[in-house]
Amino acid sequence: MTHIDKLDTLTKEAVLDSAHLGDITGALGTIRRDDDGPRRNLVARLATLLAVVGPGLIVMVGDNDAGAFATYTQAGQTYGSTLLWTMILLIPVLYVCQEMVARLGAVTGVGHARLIFERFGRFWGAFSVIDLFALNALTIVTEFIGISLAMDYFGLSKPLGVLVAAGLTIAAVSTGSFRRFERFAVLLCLGSLAIVPIFVVAHPPLGEMARDLVVPGLPPGKLSDIMLLIIGLVGTTVAPWQLFFQQSYIVDKRLRPRFMAYERVDMALGMVFTQVGAIVMIAIAAAAFAGKPEFGNFTDAGGVAAGLAKYVGRWAGNLFAIGLVDAALLGAAAVGLSTAYAFGDTLSVRHSLHRKPNDALGFYLIYGALIAVSAAIVLIPGSPLGLITEGVQVLAGILLPSATVFLLLLCNDKAVLGPWVNGKWQNLLAGVIVGVLVILSIILTAAVVFPDITDGEIIATLIVGAVLGVIGFLVTRLVTKRGLTPETGDVAALDRETWRMRPLADLPPLRLSPAARLWMGILRLYLVVAVGMAVFAVVKLALGH
């Protein structure tokens, strides 16, 4: 019997690390483990909210990382404010996906990777973790690319800047104090607002922005390029690492079901931060470069900083570069932690920010090695940084559909979530979102592998995907008889605030419906084909063809 099994038996809950039991010690407050009393007044509710705030804020602002800085400003510099409407449409996508993983974390007490291993088997568990590791490593490389661009802008040493940033990122996580890390991360979240003054001074046309926010439209240009950028905007909003990070971070913070209402407020706060940041970046790039030679000629985030310094003021370029460094630090820390948490979950080793490095050596070694190697790659002369950036896009496009499919299936698993399973309308909305993400990922993969894809082929893909989605929905409704698992009683009558998942070994086997099995088979086929296409494209690019 392992340490984890003993802990499961002792607590009658699926807790994988004893450090996950105890008081909630957040950046802005504390809640004692035995504090189950009602919050009867505004002061008590506010104190509880302050203690809970963190997971939703960090995961959402963390996704506005160095890659997001490049993607959002590319949209503004290339197409003005015409793609702002995507920011509004992405709000339900962002909230629905993150709310589901937050629920899983608070109710189950284990991370996303562990649940996939236990409920769907070793193949899917190993696939999820290995792909997550590869994608996260490349993503962290792009964070340090952002650091290096900021150093170039300031005229500072790139190697020194990257090494200092890597050291700071490792040190912030390795203090052995959950509270100290969360305070560091929340401070970086507040730092993301540094670019807001640029918006005020750049004077973007507010009337035109308001129209583009609510009226969808496509700018003139090649449809494949526009679609790739839209998919990039989606990818900066919903990334696979977010699902793994938030669930594990909520578990590590020791949040329980009774605090889900507060966690939803935390996510809403994070959503405001991230969407305001995205809109500001698109708007300042659109306003600064409108009518200038650089309009439509995006290079990188460093070029945006230089352009802002040229057309708005040196201070504006400085603030943008500082914001880029801030975003890269938060992104590297969060993405690195999502990997370390996933490996801790699957390898059954201690994995908690509450533990000192010598008490959770494997957890901290995985995190530190990932950060150090990613930083080193950026400093190697001749590193294929452009190819790495391309690889991040492709891998994210491949992994995101499988991640969201597993998320939806887990949120319908009554043995896992009991009274917290998705309702009918939640499933309908989540199903539509998953379907759209799958279609977009297919277009992304095809556009990277076949750069000469025509507008007509893209439109045909969208139409065929939509038709197949509707047919699949109807077939699923016809062949599905019951839920994913045997009934566990009248889940609606159970106490939602105290219900927790039983130890994993005590759960009944997962019984997929015929429709679910069909879709899992299709997903496996898609992944085999997509990975093959991606490998072909990367080899072709590497050989210079």
Side-chain angles (χ1 to χ4, degrees):
M1 182 178 285
T2 67
H3 165 76
I4 288 177
D5 291 331
K6 291 178 181 177
L7 187 60
D8 280 351
T9 303
L10 177 65
T11 63
K12 302 302 181 185
E13 297 176 8
V15 179
L16 296 187
D17 192 315
S18 59
H20 296 159
L21 297 172
D23 298 341
I24 296 172
T25 53
L28 306 175
T30 300
I31 303 173
R32 293 182 60 83
R33 177 170 171 77
D34 58 0
D35 180 3
D36 292 327
R39 273 58 177 170
R40 298 187 183 281
N41 56 62
L42 181 60
V43 173
R45 288 193 287 269
L46 180 59
T48 301
L49 176 61
L50 289 175
V52 169
V53 162
L57 180 66
I58 294 168
V59 74
M60 295 201 186
V61 179
D63 207 38
N64 272 4
D65 59 358
F69 263 63
T71 304
Y72 292 138
T73 52
Q74 181 183 2
Q77 185 175 342
T78 307
Y79 299 116
S81 61
T82 53
L83 294 179
L84 275 176
W85 55 271
T86 58
M87 296 300 99
I88 302 300
L89 290 185
L90 286 173
I91 288 175
V93 177
L94 180 63
Y95 184 82
V96 168
C97 289
Q98 296 308 133
E99 192 276 340
M100 285 195 288
V101 288
R103 223 180 323 136
L104 283 169
V107 174
T108 68
V110 299
H112 204 64
R114 186 69 180 190
L115 280 181
I116 293 175
F117 258 102
E118 294 292 337
R119 304 306 282 166
F120 299 100
R122 293 182 179 274
F123 170 82
W124 288 114
F127 169 82
S128 298
V129 174
I130 292 171
D131 257 33
L132 181 74
F133 181 82
L135 176 59
N136 284 1
L138 295 177
T139 301
I140 296 173
V141 171
T142 66
E143 309 297 358
F144 288 111
I145 292 173
I147 297 285
S148 68
L149 291 174
M151 295 302 103
D152 283 342
Y153 168 81
F154 285 118
L156 301 175
S157 167
K158 183 196 307 184
L160 180 61
V162 170
L163 290 175
V164 169
L168 178 60
T169 306
I170 293 173
V173 167
S174 306
T175 65
S177 168
F178 185 95
R179 169 168 282 169
R180 279 197 288 270
F181 168 74
E182 187 162 274
R183 284 177 174 170
F184 169 77
V186 169
L187 184 63
L188 291 179
C189 290
L190 295 175
S192 69
L193 300 176
I195 61 174
V196 173
I198 307 174
F199 175 86
V200 176
V201 176
H203 298 301
L206 297 182
E208 183 178 322
M209 278 186 56
R211 182 201 66 206
D212 291 336
L213 272 172
V214 297
V215 180
L218 295 177
K222 188 178 178 182
L223 183 59
S224 61
D225 292 339
I226 297 170
M227 285 300 301
L228 278 176
L229 188 52
I230 290 176
I231 295 168
L233 293 172
V234 173
T236 61
T237 303
V238 183
W241 73 262
Q242 289 177 280
L243 309 181
F244 289 83
F245 172 82
Q246 187 174 7
Q247 184 168 335
S248 291
Y249 193 81
I250 282 176
V251 172
D252 205 7
K253 187 160 183 173
R254 304 162 176 168
L255 294 182
R256 303 187 299 280
R258 72 182 311 267
F259 298 113
M260 265 307 299
Y262 294 97
E263 178 52 27
R264 290 186 178 112
V265 176
D266 174 37
M267 289 188 293
L269 180 63
M271 195 160 54
V272 170
F273 268 68
T274 189
Q275 294 307 93
V276 166
I279 291 170
V280 164
M281 281 187 269
I282 293 173
I284 61 177
F289 295 106
K292 305 295 193 300
E294 293 88 348
F295 187 81
N297 297 303
F298 176 81
T299 53
D300 52 41
V304 174
L308 290 173
K310 180 179 179 181
Y311 296 119
V312 180
R314 179 69 185 180
W315 66 270
N318 293 348
L319 276 184
F320 184 85
I322 291 171
L324 177 60
V325 172
D326 178 276
L329 289 174
L330 182 59
V335 175
L337 273 175
S338 75
T339 310
Y341 277 135
F343 272 86
D345 258 336
T346 54
L347 298 178
S348 299
V349 299
R350 291 174 172 175
H351 54 291
S352 172
L353 292 173
H354 293 284
R355 293 187 180 277
K356 300 289 185 183
N358 61 355
D359 195 29
L361 187 59
F363 172 69
Y364 287 106
L365 279 179
I366 290 170
Y367 173 83
L370 191 59
I371 297 295
V373 171
S374 299
I377 289 174
V378 175
L379 298 179
I380 297 174
S383 294
L385 300 182
L387 188 60
I388 289 173
T389 304
E390 193 90 4
V392 169
Q393 284 186 315
V394 176
L395 275 178
I398 292 172
L399 185 57
L400 186 56
S402 62
T404 50
V405 166
F406 286 128
L407 174 60
L408 184 56
L409 292 175
L410 285 171
C411 284
N412 282 277
D413 190 338
K414 292 184 175 66
V416 169
L417 281 184
W420 290 91
V421 292
N422 279 0
K424 182 184 298 184
W425 290 107
Q426 285 176 307
N427 278 332
L428 180 60
L429 180 57
V432 170
I433 289 172
V434 170
V436 171
L437 291 177
V438 169
I439 293 172
L440 290 179
S441 73
I442 292 172
I443 293 175
L444 171 62
T445 306
V448 171
V449 176
F450 307 110
D452 296 326
I453 188 171
T454 66
D455 295 356
E457 289 168 338
I458 290 176
I459 293 173
T461 301
L462 289 170
I463 294 173
V464 171
V467 171
L468 289 177
V470 172
I471 294 174
F473 172 77
L474 295 175
V475 170
T476 300
R477 295 291 294 176
L478 288 174
V479 302
T480 300
K481 297 179 181 179
R482 301 191 71 167
L484 291 171
T485 60
E487 295 294 333
T488 56
D490 184 8
V491 294
L494 299 175
D495 185 354
R496 285 167 59 89
E497 286 198 356
T498 60
W499 198 92
R500 294 272 280 183
M501 186 179 77
R502 289 179 291 168
L504 290 166
D506 294 345
L507 297 184
L510 177 68
R511 294 181 183 176
L512 293 173
S513 66
R517 291 184 182 279
L518 172 64
W519 287 112
M520 293 286 283
I522 293 173
L523 177 62
R524 190 185 296 242
L525 176 62
Y526 159 74
L527 290 172
V528 170
V529 174
V531 169
M533 293 170 62
V535 170
F536 171 77
V538 170
V539 171
K540 186 177 178 181
L541 287 171
L543 296 176
H545 296 300

